[in-house]
Amino acid sequence: MKKLWLLLISVLMLTACSEDKISGDGVDLTNEFEITDDPNDPVQHERYQIFKEYNVPVLFNDTIAKRQIGTDLYGKPVMQYETVDLNWDFDSYSNSVQYVYDYLKTDESKMDALRFVRKFLEMCSKRMRPFSIMVANNLTSKPESSSLAEKQYVSGFRTLVFYNVSNLSDDDIKTTARDVIYDMVAQKVKANKDLCTMFEAVSSKYYYRTWEELGGCSTCLEWSKKSTFISTNNLYYGLPYNAEEGTTQAYKYDFVDLVLSRDMVEDKAEAESVRSTIVQEIGNYGFIRGNKNTGSFSPADAEEDRNYFVQAILTLGDEKFNERYGRCALVMEKYELLKDFMVNELGLEL
């Protein structure tokens, strides 16, 4: 019965329609998702290599399969096309949004997109790999969605769609793939209601409060008064909240570099000692950074707080996270909740 139910869902999430002709861009439409090799076609050959290595078919348009379902009055074949439909959820369907694809048109842009897909699959855990991937030049919707402009992917029921990922540099490919994975993990965490409830309970009394209101943050308050540039959002060294050297985000200053450049401490050791104290102070409430709009407040809510934790955990890994926050009991309580889910449910290696 379970297998029958899953089969029905798989069939229903595809939209069937009749068209004159739609190209499958090299997909063997009689075998639906299976990618066949063509050593003389670099694009098709790379798609095949990705399929063979990761068992994930890559599509360049929203047509998945076609089959003849009969003939018309004139004896001509009537074809049925199955297409990607991003409106399906696991157990529901809504056609309130119409997605409009701008397809990749050149082999060069397709190869660039495949470079991104390969890096994404390389970085993604096996359990988080999608059933299939579609890559487009751009994706818009009717009605318009601000989230489509902010992101570069949409995750459907069994197709992950990437767009605006061709013509990226090697560094930007890695950064973008990592950001997509961060967001996908955050969304999977958000979907686990029991996990979110337990996470929120740890710091539920402390959200969206000033550090002064909470008390116990004397060093944090002292240093925030010394300069408008100093806040709990400048405490970090390296990723996740300071950019990698040489990237376009490199203007985000590290706390140590910031106070040293303004001669606010005697040396690096003093700066690191101050930072460690402030990390401990806000960590006593279960937080690893302040509100995204102002570092003088704690995170606005549990979702903002969770997203900071997800980013830090995925970037730092188990050893470095423990090294940085191991003395903060409430931080580690929240960490263990997320770590258990990420490792055991999502198959991530931390």
Side-chain angles (χ1 to χ4, degrees):
M1 185 66 185
K2 181 178 179 182
K3 290 183 178 178
L4 177 60
W5 170 241
L6 291 174
L7 176 62
L8 288 172
I9 291 176
S10 299
V11 172
L12 288 173
M13 62 76 61
L14 298 171
T15 300
C17 58
S18 294
E19 300 286 348
D20 292 333
K21 183 179 180 181
I22 301 179
S23 168
D25 276 298
V27 179
D28 184 349
L29 296 175
T30 60
N31 293 302
E32 300 191 356
F33 288 99
E34 183 179 352
I35 304 297
T36 56
D37 191 16
D38 183 353
N40 298 316
D41 182 342
V43 173
Q44 184 65 11
H45 183 64
E46 176 61 7
R47 294 174 69 210
Y48 173 73
Q49 291 295 329
I50 290 174
F51 180 71
K52 190 167 76 169
E53 290 177 41
Y54 299 102
N55 198 33
V56 177
V58 181
L59 311 171
F60 288 123
N61 69 35
D62 60 338
T63 300
I64 297 172
K66 72 176 181 180
R67 59 179 61 86
Q68 183 175 345
I69 58 174
T71 56
D72 62 17
L73 294 175
Y74 302 98
K76 294 182 178 181
V78 175
M79 306 302 295
Q80 181 185 66
Y81 294 84
E82 293 182 350
T83 61
V84 171
D85 192 339
L86 297 176
N87 288 300
W88 275 101
D89 203 343
F90 183 79
D91 57 0
S92 62
Y93 179 78
S94 171
N95 60 0
S96 59
V97 179
Q98 178 185 354
Y99 291 95
V100 181
Y101 302 97
D102 174 25
Y103 298 134
L104 294 166
K105 297 177 176 62
T106 67
D107 285 352
E108 182 181 6
S109 63
K110 291 177 181 179
M111 287 298 291
D112 285 342
L114 289 172
R115 284 173 56 233
F116 174 83
V117 169
R118 177 175 284 281
K119 174 57 68 174
F120 169 79
L121 292 172
E122 176 187 312
M123 296 172 64
C124 194
S125 75
K126 187 174 182 179
R127 291 188 203 173
M128 287 189 62
R129 290 174 193 160
F131 182 82
S132 62
I133 289 176
M134 175 183 165
V135 190
N137 182 52
N138 196 18
L139 177 62
T140 56
S141 66
K142 297 178 182 180
E144 293 184 1
S145 169
S146 59
S147 66
L148 287 182
E150 295 169 359
K151 297 183 178 182
Q152 290 172 280
Y153 82 98
V154 173
S155 183
F157 182 66
R158 56 175 194 173
T159 302
L160 175 63
V161 179
F162 287 120
Y163 51 97
N164 294 328
V165 296
S166 59
N167 299 319
L168 295 176
S169 68
D170 289 342
D171 286 341
D172 286 339
I173 284 176
K174 181 179 178 181
T175 300
T176 303
R178 185 184 62 211
D179 289 345
V180 169
I181 292 171
Y182 285 169
D183 191 61
M184 289 178 67
V185 173
Q187 294 306 313
K188 289 182 180 296
V189 169
K190 183 179 180 179
N192 189 316
K193 301 305 181 185
D194 290 339
L195 173 61
C196 291
T197 298
M198 290 187 290
F199 181 95
E200 182 175 8
V202 177
S203 299
S204 60
K205 298 180 293 184
Y206 309 132
Y207 287 121
Y208 206 57
R209 307 272 296 277
T210 66
W211 304 117
E212 190 170 12
E213 282 182 275
L214 292 175
C217 297
S218 57
T219 307
C220 175
L221 294 171
E222 175 191 346
W223 277 80
S224 64
K225 291 175 182 177
K226 288 186 178 184
S227 171
T228 56
F229 293 99
I230 303 297
S231 82
T232 53
N233 295 345
N234 298 114
L235 293 173
Y236 308 95
Y237 48 101
L239 296 171
Y241 306 119
N242 294 115
E244 289 179 292
E245 185 178 352
T247 66
T248 56
Q249 300 271 337
Y251 61 85
K252 295 183 179 180
Y253 293 105
D254 174 274
F255 177 84
V256 171
D257 294 338
L258 193 64
V259 298
L260 282 171
S261 68
R262 287 173 167 73
D263 297 322
M264 300 173 73
V265 291
E266 290 292 331
D267 52 32
K268 185 176 180 179
E270 182 183 353
E272 290 179 341
S273 175
V274 171
R275 177 175 58 196
S276 179
T277 300
I278 298 175
V279 167
Q280 181 67 49
E281 286 180 352
I282 68 173
N284 289 334
Y285 299 99
F287 300 124
I288 59 176
R289 64 163 282 175
N291 182 273
K292 62 182 178 181
N293 296 319
T294 169
S296 60
F297 277 73
S298 63
D301 51 35
E303 181 171 6
E304 181 184 353
D305 190 21
R306 282 198 318 270
N307 289 341
Y308 295 150
F309 269 79
V310 168
Q311 189 176 3
I313 293 169
L314 291 177
T315 305
L316 297 174
D318 184 62
E319 183 177 347
K320 289 184 178 179
F321 193 96
N322 274 273
E323 180 182 321
R324 193 178 293 188
Y325 303 111
R327 295 180 298 116
C328 307
L330 294 187
V331 168
M332 296 309 296
E333 183 177 346
K334 290 152 88 170
Y335 169 73
E336 291 297 335
L337 290 170
L338 295 178
K339 175 187 172 182
D340 179 70
F341 177 76
M342 291 181 183
V343 172
N344 295 317
E345 297 298 323
L346 302 183
L348 301 174
E349 295 182 7
L350 301 179

